[in-house]
Amino acid sequence: MFENIRRFQRFLVESGMARNVLALPAPKTLLIEDHTSKDETGTAVFSQTVVEEEIVLVSRDLFASGHYNVAVAEAFKAVDNYVRDKTGLSSFSGSTLMENVFSSKKPKLVWSERKSISEKNEQDGYMRLYAGAMLGIRNPTTHEFNWVESAEVALELLVFAQHLLRKAKCARPSEGQGI
């Protein structure tokens, strides 16, 4: 039932007929946000660019109702959860998880054989991107209010979260990891 409501809500927002958005499910209360004074093109751009289900499910309604900081925080938590679930490393999270999983020395997940300089650089570089995203984006948005205040910045960060999620989906267990 909620999925049908969300689809209808999405249709109304994208078609420009909506003046109010009901964010479901709301954490403790239902919030109706007035979008008459906001730029509604952000929601349309969101719908066209952010398509990975794990990101959409946790951030779309928050983004649509103007809760950009929380939308970004939830998207990066989704990346963290995906990597944790894929590897089974339930005792780690954040940058520690990412450094462990994508380590250039003993990675749990890889994209290549890591034989050439470029393949080694990719492994090390993405490990730094994942760990940096947890430190520089997920942590501040989780622990601070209004770290991300604009739709434009939120969209940039949500697309980055989506890229990291897609890259993690393409990763395979490294030799001997048995994940």
Side-chain angles (χ1 to χ4, degrees), residues 31-82:
L31 172 68
I32 298 178
E33 181 74 25
D34 180 8
H35 281 278
T36 55
S37 64
K38 292 188 179 183
D39 177 18
E40 293 183 12
T41 60
T43 303
V45 172
F46 179 101
S47 296
Q48 293 173 351
T49 56
V50 181
V51 296
E52 287 294 323
E53 183 179 9
E54 296 88 344
I55 305 290
V56 172
L57 288 174
V58 299
S59 65
R60 184 179 193 327
D61 292 341
L62 291 165
F63 181 86
S65 61
H67 295 93
Y68 306 124
N69 193 69
V70 181
V72 170
E74 293 302 310
F76 281 90
K77 285 181 197 174
V79 173
D80 192 66
N81 290 338
Y82 181 85

Side-chain angles (χ1 to χ4, degrees), residues 101-119:
V101 169
F102 299 111
S103 163
S104 56
K105 305 243 187 271
K106 291 185 176 183
K108 309 292 186 271
L109 296 176
V110 297
W111 298 277
S112 67
E113 299 301 317
R114 300 175 339 275
K115 291 183 180 177
S116 72
I117 297 287
S118 293
E119 290 174 342

Side-chain angles (χ1 to χ4, degrees), residues 50-165:
V50 181
V51 296
E52 287 294 323
E53 183 179 9
E54 296 88 344
I55 305 290
V56 172
L57 288 174
V58 299
S59 65
R60 184 179 193 327
D61 292 341
L62 291 165
F63 181 86
S65 61
H67 295 93
Y68 306 124
N69 193 69
V70 181
V72 170
E74 293 302 310
F76 281 90
K77 285 181 197 174
V79 173
D80 192 66
N81 290 338
Y82 181 85
V83 171
R84 186 180 319 109
D85 292 346
K86 185 169 183 168
T87 60
L89 296 174
S90 60
S91 60
F92 296 108
S93 70
S95 60
T96 305
L97 173 68
M98 301 308 166
E99 289 168 351
N100 190 296
V101 169
F102 299 111
S103 163
S104 56
K105 305 243 187 271
K106 291 185 176 183
K108 309 292 186 271
L109 296 176
V110 297
W111 298 277
S112 67
E113 299 301 317
R114 300 175 339 275
K115 291 183 180 177
S116 72
I117 297 287
S118 293
E119 290 174 342
K120 290 175 184 177
N121 286 345
E122 177 188 37
Q123 188 72 35
D124 190 46
Y126 269 95
M127 183 269 301
R128 293 170 191 236
L129 287 172
Y130 279 97
M134 295 301 121
L135 283 173
I137 301 168
R138 188 204 66 172
N139 289 357
T141 57
T142 300
H143 301 296
E144 301 290 335
F145 292 111
N146 300 321
W147 192 264
V148 176
E149 294 181 319
S150 76
E152 182 178 288
V153 171
L155 280 169
E156 290 172 355
L157 295 172
L158 291 167
V159 169
F160 181 49
Q162 178 172 261
H163 174 74
L164 293 177
L165 179 66

